[in-house]
Amino acid sequence: MIRVSAQRTTMKTIDADLLAIGIFEDPHLFAGQIAPLERLLGTSIVPPDGIPFAGKDGQTMLLFPKNARVPRLLLVGWGKRDGFSIERIRRAAAAAAKVAQSCGVATAAFLEPDPTMIARLSPEPGNGIWVTVAAAAAEGIWLGLYTFNRYKTTKDSPSRLRRFFLTTESTSKVRYMSRGIEHARIVSSSALLARDLENAPGDEIHPESLAQAARRAGRRSGFRVRILDERQIRRMHMGGLLGVARGSHRPPRFIVMEYAGPRSSAKKPVVLVGKGVTFDAGGISLKPSAGMAEMKMDMSGAGAVIGTMSAAAELRLPVHLVGLVPATENLPGGGALKPGDIVRHYNGMTTEVDNTDAEGRLILADALAYAGRYDPALIIDLATLTGAVVVALGHFATGMMGNNPVALQEMHDAGERTYERVWELPLFEEYDRLIRSDIADIKNVGGRWAGAITAGMFLKRFVGDRRWIHLDIAGTAIMEEPTAYIPRGGSGVGVRLLIDFLEHWSA
Ligand code: BES
Ligand code: MN
Ligand code: ZN
């Protein structure tokens, strides 16, 4: 990751190869924003025939002003003043960082946004908002510059970009901004860890190496990791996890992580559960080949949990966290689970397996039941669980279900703040009929309709009356198209969301 820092400077003293400046889309753009800028720079930047730049959200224009202190000036559109938001700052910073990288400069700076516009973002007066503003800009830079190019033997163009300054003229703001940047550094690097785990091929990240990745993260960030092997999983009667793993030559793992922050070890923990299917071919209910490669990312829930454990530990959050990851492949081997088979879970309940491709819920059932051992204050599971949630919400909202309105509302708010937005789907009791089995306690598929919900109803049976939130990230973890700061592929979704949630939620 490149270095990002807050810097006290003025237009006269600024020293960077490229200076990015946010411009609002408004009818008086030239008189109101460009002309004052030209006065500050002491030179004209607008050619006589004007420039085709409207300040639209996401728009950028690179200029080379004559006789100015900075050799390159980058105009970045904020969009309309009315829609200005923290998310626009994330996106604009990402756009600026990408241009800076592609034009080969070593240092870049982003000029402090108009303080009156920033003040509008905060309900409270004072400089506290600058923590959030700088954090958003830094997140945009780090998340936006990410590429997964470890397997490219020749890189497109080696990046020269080393430093990115967020400038301000005020010394007191520097302190707030630095705090925000440090927070963003921890949260972004943890989200990028999740992306790396997602994007890595299934042959690199399989149950054992996923467990090793968790162990490394624990050592680096400061949380405990225990790894249960196949024998121990068998002794615990986790029939769902064992059943799914039967089709693969690689044995499953059950990863247990724990972090007890300052003044928290006596508190009931929040238990995070992440689906860790390191490749989902569907098993005997084999998936079609088109798009199957994406299923290397079917461990995105696990990536989010490992990333969140890392960030929480590095931030020294005053929370007690447990992370559980059932890890397995779902392949169609000779010993594989078959449609019609029945598995017995950790809590003794039985499931009739109608479709071996509905494997996520089989392994989560064991983990959710196991979570009960901790007498948790709240259980949160994250899983790339259903194609149905992608049909319902696409790639811009995570499907959320649960049984505790207060926690659901808090998760919704965390989604708005981080822009990892969630949308609630109902768990009405009527849906239960759809997963009834004639011969076992429950069936693992619910037919054609409401697939994301019937999956949620299935999980609900294993949490009992404990407080619980289920996040179906099938659409938000796996991106088909890039956005401002998420490239195609694994998004690392969940890390920023959960950290923000944990910082605000009090049981
Ligand atoms: N991992 C998939 C869900 C998925 C689909 C994630 C698309 C990301 C993108 C899951 O294990 C699965 O196969 N679900 C089935 C369930 C069905 C058999 C009831 C599905 O959604 O088709
Ligand atoms: Mn599946
Ligand atoms: Zn799956």
Side-chain angles (χ1 to χ4, degrees):
M1 298 208 307
I2 68 162
R3 280 179 67 189
V4 178
S5 55
Q7 190 186 46
R8 204 202 72 80
T9 182
T10 65
M11 199 60 123
K12 289 207 168 53
T13 56
I14 210 157
D15 182 18
D17 302 326
L18 178 148
L19 176 63
I21 298 178
I23 302 283
F24 287 100
E25 176 183 358
D26 75 31
H28 313 294
L29 187 153
F30 285 92
Q33 299 177 79
I34 302 286
L37 185 59
E38 289 186 326
R39 281 198 294 278
L40 272 174
L41 285 164
T43 178
S44 128
I45 55 173
V46 183
D49 51 348
I51 45 173
F53 181 82
K56 287 189 193 304
D57 180 16
Q59 201 183 6
T60 56
M61 171 158 244
L62 185 59
L63 301 167
F64 300 87
K66 287 200 173 54
N67 320 315
R69 210 186 141 70
V70 285
R72 294 171 198 77
L73 196 63
L74 181 69
L75 305 185
V76 185
W78 286 132
K80 295 219 166 68
R81 282 176 201 270
D82 271 348
F84 189 55
S85 65
I86 291 295
E87 170 64 6
R88 293 272 177 91
I89 294 172
R90 241 177 243 119
R91 293 210 283 252
K98 284 193 228 179
V99 173
Q101 176 149 77
S102 69
C103 67
V105 299
T107 61
F110 207 118
L111 195 71
E112 166 176 22
D114 176 358
T116 61
M117 291 303 294
I118 296 298
R120 280 211 222 166
L121 299 175
S122 172
E124 291 139 35
N127 275 339
I129 185 69
W130 290 90
V131 178
T132 313
V133 167
E139 284 169 8
I141 293 165
W142 280 315
L143 299 176
L145 289 178
Y146 172 85
T147 52
F148 183 76
N149 59 7
R150 260 194 288 129
Y151 284 93
K152 289 239 180 233
T153 53
T154 52
K155 317 277 186 234
D156 294 342
S157 53
S159 174
R160 291 189 57 227
L161 190 59
R162 292 289 164 269
R163 296 205 61 162
F164 209 113
F165 303 108
L166 305 178
T167 76
T168 174
E169 297 195 358
S170 128
T171 315
S172 69
K173 279 183 201 164
V174 166
R175 273 210 329 278
Y176 289 97
M177 292 167 68
S178 300
R179 245 175 58 207
I181 293 168
E182 175 58 10
H183 187 277
R185 187 186 61 75
I186 291 171
V187 171
S188 304
S189 64
S190 304
L192 297 187
L193 165 65
R195 282 188 191 174
D196 275 343
L197 293 172
E198 290 166 341
N199 290 326
D203 254 357
E204 181 190 326
I205 291 297
H206 44 72
E208 207 213 324
S209 56
L210 183 65
Q212 291 313 323
R215 177 158 281 156
R216 266 200 310 281
R219 215 174 288 131
R220 202 170 43 233
S221 305
F223 60 88
R224 294 212 326 255
V225 180
R226 221 171 81 232
I227 299 167
L228 308 187
D229 65 13
E230 190 170 21
R231 264 194 29 241
Q232 295 165 296
I233 294 169
R234 191 167 301 118
R235 244 186 269 132
M236 295 208 300
H237 305 287
M238 293 187 163
L241 178 55
L242 286 167
V244 174
R246 268 169 43 193
S248 166
H249 289 298
R250 298 189 204 272
R253 291 289 185 270
F254 191 81
I255 310 168
V256 182
M257 296 163 273
E258 186 160 5
Y259 161 73
R263 303 177 305 285
S264 79
S265 47
K267 280 196 226 161
K268 289 185 177 188
V270 173
V271 178
L272 308 178
V273 176
K275 172 177 173 182
V277 174
T278 58
F279 189 78
D280 179 14
I284 295 300
S285 313
L286 191 63
K287 285 182 184 296
S289 334
M292 200 202 272
E294 281 185 1
M295 287 300 119
K296 70 179 183 180
M297 293 180 262
D298 209 19
M299 35 53 66
S300 298
V305 170
I306 295 168
T308 303
M309 297 296 303
S310 299
E314 286 181 38
L315 290 167
R316 308 281 310 137
L317 291 192
V319 293
H320 185 185
L321 266 191
V322 171
L324 303 176
V325 169
T328 178
E329 298 186 313
N330 185 27
L331 297 182
L337 205 60
K338 298 171 289 295
D341 285 352
I342 295 177
V343 297
R344 188 182 296 276
H345 295 284
Y346 175 78
N347 66 350
M349 273 178 66
T350 56
T351 297
E352 178 188 359
V353 179
D354 205 29
N355 186 321
T356 65
D357 198 10
E359 84 295 343
R361 64 199 76 179
L362 296 177
I363 69 172
L364 290 172
D366 289 324
L368 290 169
Y370 187 86
R373 293 191 13 165
Y374 295 92
D375 186 22
L378 176 67
I379 302 171
I380 306 172
D381 76 76
L382 299 96
T384 46
L385 201 60
T386 66
V389 86
V390 195
V391 173
L393 300 173
H395 293 284
F396 306 117
T398 290
M400 175 170 73
M401 286 147 262
N403 58 10
N404 184 266
V406 176
L408 290 167
Q409 179 65 46
E410 292 273 343
M411 189 62 77
H412 175 270
D413 295 348
E416 297 298 315
R417 286 188 294 263
T418 56
Y419 220 67
E420 292 193 340
R421 292 166 297 175
V422 300
W423 202 256
E424 190 182 355
L425 301 173
L427 291 179
F428 300 140
E429 62 180 17
E430 282 79 358
Y431 292 108
D432 235 358
R433 266 191 39 235
L434 302 174
I435 50 171
R436 270 209 294 239
S437 163
D438 293 334
I439 56 172
D441 296 333
I442 191 172
K443 193 175 63 173
N444 80 329
V445 288
R448 173 134 190 232
W449 309 118
I453 293 174
T454 50
M457 292 303 287
F458 182 97
L459 300 182
K460 186 173 191 267
R461 293 287 216 73
F462 294 87
V463 296
D465 49 17
R466 290 179 274 272
R467 286 189 252 178
W468 160 69
I469 295 178
H470 162 52
L471 298 170
D472 191 337
I473 56 173
T476 47
I478 304 172
M479 299 299 280
E480 283 171 0
E481 302 282 345
T483 66
Y485 54 86
I486 308 175
R488 197 178 126 78
S491 69
V493 73
V495 176
R496 292 193 300 116
L497 175 71
L498 290 183
I499 290 296
D500 184 280
F501 174 86
L502 292 168
E503 286 172 336
H504 289 84
W505 190 68
S506 46

